[in-house]
Amino acid sequence: GPSGRIARPKTAFPMTRSASILPAHSIPAFIAFSETPSIQTSKTIFVRDPTPDIRLQLPLMSKDLIVIGDVHGCAAELEDLLDALSPGRDDSVLLLGDLINRGPESHRAVRIARENGLTCLMGNHELRLTTYRTRRDPSILKSYDYETLQNLHAEDWDFFEKLLPFYETEDSHFVCVHGGFRPGRPWRTQTVREVCEAKWIPPNEIP
């Protein structure tokens, strides 16, 4: 797996290229994109079943971009998912933002991403807290933000400063973003706030 992995016992199942995916109550999905030139496929696995005995099998390709959705402070589930996937040396792991809030361990979730060298996008939760640190306007905060603000470390804030607004694969076949893009405008020119907070498109703006 990636260097710097936080040490954990790995006795639940063998680490193979056919990954066993553990059900997680908060991590909604991961997507594995094959970047092999002759294979243009993507597979999405939704992990919502609370039954602990269920395992979903996903055969990974020789070179994958593994995309993981909102972690929201569920550090243990993120560790389980990374252990199950066991990314290879040529694989890349991309987190789509919203590492923090709602779950019990925002700091540890960020630490896992940081110490494993995972690529991460800016989510609206990180954007809101970094905006608060700049403006000191408490009116923008949610009730659960206060606990997260107390628990984050200096290294976490440094990590937030490096979060990307979007991610484009080298072959430009896939573009990943936390929220979405506004139609009718070049997506590369849109601000981090626009792509983080986009939730719907008004009917009059549908292409």
Side-chain angles (χ1 to χ4, degrees):
S3 60
R5 173 73 61 83
I6 298 172
R8 285 171 53 84
K10 299 182 179 181
T11 58
F13 42 80
M15 296 298 103
T16 65
R17 294 297 293 161
S18 180
S20 297
I21 311 307
L22 293 177
H25 70 275
S26 180
I27 299 175
F30 76 87
I31 306 173
F33 293 119
S34 170
E35 294 187 359
T36 305
S38 61
I39 305 174
Q40 299 299 333
T41 61
S42 65
K43 294 186 178 182
T44 305
I45 299 297
F46 288 87
V47 188
R48 295 184 182 276
D49 197 311
T51 306
D53 294 332
I54 290 179
R55 299 291 184 270
L56 301 177
Q57 297 296 321
L58 176 70
L60 301 181
M61 303 300 178
S62 59
K63 183 180 179 183
D64 290 299
L65 170 63
I66 300 170
V67 182
I68 301 176
D70 305 22
V71 173
H72 278 307
C74 293
E77 288 84 351
L78 176 60
E79 284 180 324
D80 287 342
L81 188 55
L82 291 173
D83 285 347
L85 290 168
S86 190
R89 184 173 301 176
D90 295 329
D91 298 331
S92 300
V93 178
L94 173 66
L95 303 176
L96 292 180
D98 280 2
L99 284 171
I100 60 173
N101 282 339
R102 295 179 175 163
E105 298 180 292
S106 289
H107 162 65
R108 193 158 74 91
V110 178
R111 178 187 167 194
I112 292 167
R114 188 178 69 245
E115 294 188 352
N116 283 278
L118 306 184
T119 302
C120 187
L121 303 186
M122 179 73 80
N124 57 291
H125 286 255
E126 290 88 11
L127 180 62
R128 185 171 62 251
L129 294 196
T130 54
T131 300
Y132 169 75
R133 287 195 88 209
T134 302
R135 300 181 182 176
R136 295 296 177 179
D137 178 8
S139 68
I140 69 172
L141 295 178
K142 306 290 186 182
S143 59
Y144 44 72
D145 287 333
Y146 292 96
E147 181 178 357
T148 302
L149 285 168
Q150 293 179 344
N151 292 334
L152 292 176
H153 295 190
E155 296 87 351
D156 302 330
W157 295 108
D158 292 341
F159 183 74
F160 291 166
E161 293 297 323
K162 302 172 185 177
L163 298 182
L164 304 174
F166 52 79
Y167 179 91
E168 181 180 6
T169 59
E170 292 181 5
D171 57 15
S172 297
H173 287 171
F174 299 102
V175 177
C176 303
V177 66
H178 177 75
F181 296 109
R182 304 297 298 180
R185 293 170 48 200
W187 58 267
R188 289 188 179 90
T189 67
Q190 298 188 30
T191 68
V192 65
R193 184 168 299 279
E194 287 177 311
V195 300
C196 281
E197 296 183 348
K199 295 181 179 179
W200 59 79
I201 300 174
N204 62 317
E205 295 187 17
I206 296 177

